[in-house]
Amino acid sequence: MDLTELGAFLSSRRARIRPGDVGLPLGPRRRVPGLRRDEVAQLAGASVEYYIELERGAGSQPSEQMIAALARALRLSRDERDHLYHLAGRPLPREGGPASHVHPGMRDLLDRLDGTPARVITDIHVPLVQNTMARALLGDFAPRTGMAASFVHRWFTDPSARDIYPEEDHPRHSRSFAADLRAAVARRDAKDREAADLVADLLDRSGEFAELWARHDVAVRRDDRKRIRHPRVGEIELNCLHLLSEDGRQRLLWFSPVPDTDSAEKLELLRVIGTQELLPG
């Protein structure tokens, strides 16, 4: 662990990013060429004081979750991200989990979808990053570790995860999640235990999942129509489209309004009111 070098590295990466690259306004009287410390802290979900201590090479060893958040906030490449983990004295994260490096092409597309809700997830539905509109529509996702990081796991084990959808749609989503997960498990290397362990835990904890899994249905989720219940604008009917990476391990989701509905107006209202009073992540 080398906190002094870690601080210098963070400072150098911060200086190269323009505010517009991360969706921040340029603003007047900007005295630094890149991001300010408070902006990095905001993007990473850290306190300003904590981030300042990191750049000074002081304070405590950052957690793996904080390193992942900083890597995304600073748009680090895979090599840069790995270097950050080494400097912090932390093991590199396993691919497929919440600290996975976001596919560069997915990240670039996400940054361009300014007025469209969009997020990047893994093949087992672990959210990695999302834009402001997705946060306004779906809420922020709190950092989770282990199997609970997967929305599929929460869908079958935590009833509150289903609150975002009307109850009559739950059986359809359950079938879709189970069939999509079967495809993800088959794509992965036989030695990869992450997805297999997820399935084993769901079989043990959810009778609904066990029944669906026994059907052996398989279908990769590439598009879907969803009705989302939002506390501020009511029910929104959306088309959810998926773009898969070459290896199928990550996908970009974006939501477009269903024609001949009032969904476009509701999305525009969400864009205006932002992230006030959001649904739980």
Side-chain angles (χ1 to χ4, degrees):
M1 181 174 65
D2 189 340
L3 292 181
T4 300
E5 181 62 26
L6 182 143
F9 183 65
L10 289 174
S11 178
S12 70
R13 301 304 89 182
R14 173 171 62 84
R16 70 177 184 172
I17 298 180
R18 296 170 299 178
D21 295 337
V22 292
L24 294 175
L26 182 59
R29 300 180 182 177
R30 180 169 287 272
R31 298 178 181 178
V32 293
L35 297 180
R36 299 191 301 264
R37 291 187 179 94
D38 64 297
E39 290 170 334
V40 177
Q42 174 189 343
L43 291 169
S47 70
V48 178
E49 294 78 11
Y50 175 79
Y51 182 75
I52 290 174
E53 287 296 296
L54 280 182
E55 279 207 6
R56 288 175 176 169
S60 58
Q61 181 186 29
S63 67
E64 295 174 36
Q65 291 83 3
M66 179 51 62
I67 299 170
L70 289 170
R72 288 174 188 158
L74 294 169
R75 302 296 198 268
L76 300 188
S77 68
R78 181 183 294 271
D79 290 339
E80 291 171 330
R81 182 208 66 165
D82 292 353
H83 183 60
L84 193 62
Y85 274 89
H86 292 318
L87 292 176
R90 296 291 187 181
L92 294 180
R94 182 175 58 179
E95 287 305 313
S100 295
H101 182 69
V102 179
H103 187 288
M106 301 286 188
R107 175 90 246 188
D108 182 60
L109 283 172
L110 182 70
D111 290 341
R112 296 171 187 269
L113 293 171
D114 218 9
T116 301
R119 62 169 34 170
V120 178
I121 67 173
T122 72
D123 57 342
I124 58 172
H125 294 259
V126 175
L128 299 179
V129 65
Q130 64 183 0
N131 63 14
T132 302
M133 279 296 292
R135 190 174 299 111
L137 175 67
L138 305 170
D140 214 345
F141 46 84
R144 292 181 171 92
T145 58
M147 295 179 189
S150 166
F151 185 74
V152 174
H153 187 274
R154 299 199 302 279
W155 178 264
F156 287 104
T157 61
D158 180 2
S160 67
R162 303 188 176 201
D163 290 346
I164 192 173
Y165 299 120
E167 187 173 357
E168 56 268 29
D169 293 351
H170 292 179
R172 177 174 63 86
H173 288 306
S174 294
R175 293 192 298 270
S176 179
F177 278 132
D180 185 75
L181 182 58
R182 184 174 288 279
V185 172
R187 277 196 307 268
R188 292 197 174 199
D189 188 280
K191 297 179 181 178
D192 186 336
R193 295 300 310 169
E194 183 184 28
D197 290 345
L198 177 65
V199 170
D201 190 71
L202 286 174
L203 288 171
D204 184 57
R205 298 181 58 181
S206 170
E208 179 191 20
F209 179 81
E211 181 181 339
L212 291 170
W213 196 252
R215 297 180 186 180
H216 290 268
D217 293 338
V218 57
V220 178
R221 263 191 167 186
R222 293 187 174 89
D223 58 76
D224 197 5
R225 180 167 291 191
K226 296 185 176 184
R227 293 188 297 162
I228 292 177
R229 299 165 56 199
H230 193 279
R232 297 296 303 279
V233 300
E235 188 175 290
I236 313 177
E237 194 168 1
L238 300 166
N239 290 315
C240 178
L241 304 172
H242 297 222
L243 176 65
L244 277 67
S245 60
E246 296 90 339
D247 61 2
R249 296 290 291 265
Q250 291 185 15
R251 61 185 72 176
L252 173 70
L253 314 182
W254 72 98
F255 300 84
S256 62
V258 172
D260 301 320
T261 70
D262 60 358
S263 299
E265 290 81 2
K266 289 181 176 179
L267 281 182
E268 177 60 21
L269 178 58
L270 270 183
R271 188 188 67 79
V272 173
I273 66 177
T275 57
Q276 303 172 39
E277 298 182 23
L278 296 176
L279 293 166

